[in-house]
Amino acid sequence: QVQLVESGGGLVQTGDSLRLSCAASGHSFPYGMGWFRQAPGKEREFVAVINWSGGITSYADSVKGRFTISRDNTKNTVYLQMNSLKPEDTAVYYCALRSGGGVVTTSVGWDSWGQGTQVTVSS
């Protein structure tokens, strides 16, 4: 059974940085990974995705240039480096795993989800 465990969330101020981590276990190889977020009263939205090799990444326009997704396959971990955080980045952040190595930028088509980690950016 696949298990995804996120960590690294917290309360920060505008302009601060955070790095989220997501450790995967119980999966088969290869797999793509993604980060999504959901703010109160809103639908879950795409943030960033990365394919198995790390050679393909994609970002939501709202985070492009501020967030960086990366992965370490030796540790079965994907990261989301978030810089220049804004209050509108406040949300629960979820990581997702997609078997086969590829990625999609919709919340549909992912095989497993983590429990989420809260990120709160104060103004």
Side-chain angles (χ1 to χ4, degrees):
Q1 184 175 355
V2 176
Q3 185 174 19
L4 303 176
V5 179
E6 301 105 330
S7 61
L11 172 63
V12 297
Q13 296 184 333
T14 297
D16 285 350
S17 298
L18 277 176
R19 188 176 82 154
L20 305 183
S21 300
C22 174
S25 61
H27 49 77
S28 59
F29 303 93
Y31 57 92
M33 294 293 292
W35 286 98
F36 293 78
R37 66 186 182 187
Q38 188 167 18
K42 295 186 177 181
E43 293 187 353
R44 190 169 299 188
E45 66 175 4
F46 156 70
V47 176
V49 294
I50 187 167
N51 72 336
W52 167 249
S53 70
I56 297 175
T57 59
S58 183
Y59 297 91
D61 288 343
S62 58
V63 307
K64 203 170 293 184
R66 300 188 297 123
F67 291 11
T68 302
I69 189 171
S70 62
R71 64 188 298 163
D72 183 342
N73 289 342
T74 65
K75 298 180 179 179
N76 298 321
T77 300
V78 64
Y79 305 97
L80 185 68
Q81 178 66 43
M82 305 186 294
N83 298 330
S84 302
L85 283 162
K86 306 175 181 180
E88 50 263 45
D89 294 319
T90 295
V92 177
Y93 283 71
Y94 299 90
C95 70
L97 181 149
R98 188 169 189 263
S99 299
V103 290
V104 293
T105 58
T106 64
S107 58
V108 177
W110 296 85
D111 300 303
S112 301
W113 292 86
Q115 82 288 350
T117 185
Q118 177 71 47
V119 172
T120 304
V121 185
S122 64
S123 57

